[in-house]
């Protein structure tokens, strides 16, 4: 559920297993079946060491993901989002796009919209206006699924402003 690329520490936390046991199983999937590949070592901002893996082909990831029952997919997505947020602490902007997708899959639309806003603002900061437009629009789709509330209104306003500024950059003032 974490995506095409994933971290052994997140998988271990989601499954409630020891990280070294998860890494051994992932190594076996790599050497025996060729389903995943080792992608490198990484350190999360909270100091957790992890091994990165990726699927050999995105179709493998999509096939495994679609085989999950909807309730299991929601539970795993929520657990993966929680694990990523814990690993990144105050620096969750680094993984805002990934968190938005996980929250959306977990049906936590408020958190998904907030992460889309963070990701759109990040894209705007690095002059990736087209990506910012797409992310802001996705966030607005999430806010449409929320019940009316002052929090929703603030989120919708912020996403609309981010979208507006990004559209000015992409299409001009007209």
């Amino acid at each position: 559920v974490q995506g095409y690329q994933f971290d052994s520490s997140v998988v271990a936390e989601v499954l409630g297993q020891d990280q070294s046991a998860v890494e051994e199983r992932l190594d076996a999937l790599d050497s025996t079946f060729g389903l995943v590949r080792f992608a490198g070592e990484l350190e999360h901002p909270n100091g957790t060491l992890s091994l990165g893996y990726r699927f050999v082909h995105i179709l493998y990831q999509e096939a495994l993901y679609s085989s999950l029952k909807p309730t299991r997919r929601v539970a795993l997505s929520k657990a993966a989002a929680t694990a990523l947020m814990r690993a990144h602490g105050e620096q969750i902007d680094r993984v805002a796009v990934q968190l938005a997708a996980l929250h959306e899959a977990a049906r936590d639309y408020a958190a998904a919209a907030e992460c889309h806003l963070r990701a759109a603002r990040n894209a705007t900061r690095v002059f990736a206006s087209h990506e910012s437009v797409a992310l802001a629009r996705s966030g607005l789709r999430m806010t449409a699924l929320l019940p009316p509330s002052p929090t929703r209104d603030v989120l919708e306003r912020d996403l609309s402003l981010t979208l507006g500024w990004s559209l000015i950059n992409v299409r001009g003032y007209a």
Side-chain angles (χ1 to χ4, degrees):
V1 297
Q2 191 180 353
Y4 172 70
Q5 294 186 344
F6 54 94
D7 308 335
S8 61
S9 62
V10 172
V11 172
E13 188 172 335
V14 167
L15 297 176
Q17 296 180 359
D18 181 55
Q19 186 174 342
S20 60
V22 168
E23 289 170 356
E24 286 176 18
R25 290 185 71 189
L26 288 169
D27 286 340
L29 285 174
D30 182 3
S31 62
T32 307
F33 301 107
L35 188 65
V36 297
R37 290 277 183 256
F38 174 71
E41 298 175 5
L42 55 121
E43 182 177 352
H44 292 293
N46 71 350
T48 303
L49 296 175
S50 185
L51 299 180
Y53 289 87
R54 64 175 172 76
F55 284 93
V56 172
H57 199 286
I58 195 157
L59 291 177
Y60 292 142
Q61 187 262 337
E62 289 176 0
L64 289 169
Y65 185 76
S66 65
S67 71
L68 293 171
K69 291 187 175 16
T71 53
R72 179 91 169 130
R73 192 178 307 148
V74 167
L76 290 174
S77 296
K78 185 175 182 76
T82 302
L84 267 179
M85 288 181 353
R86 189 178 352 271
H88 286 271
E90 294 294 318
Q91 299 178 15
I92 63 170
D93 287 349
R94 290 178 165 183
V95 291
V97 173
Q98 195 174 13
L99 283 171
L102 288 168
H103 284 303
E104 186 175 345
R107 301 179 153 279
D108 185 353
Y109 301 122
E114 179 64 38
C115 288
H116 277 294
L117 176 61
R118 285 175 175 265
R121 286 178 173 167
N122 288 342
T124 300
R125 265 193 294 278
V126 296
F127 304 104
S129 298
H130 290 283
E131 288 80 5
S132 180
V133 167
L135 290 163
R137 284 185 172 151
S138 293
L140 286 169
R141 279 194 298 277
M142 294 297 105
T143 60
L145 299 171
L146 298 173
S149 71
T151 305
R152 174 195 165 186
D153 294 342
V154 169
L155 195 53
E156 189 172 16
R157 179 203 63 205
D158 292 346
L159 283 161
S160 296
L161 287 171
T162 303
L163 174 61
W165 284 113
S166 297
L167 284 172
I168 288 170
N169 290 333
V170 170
R171 296 188 182 168
Y173 285 96

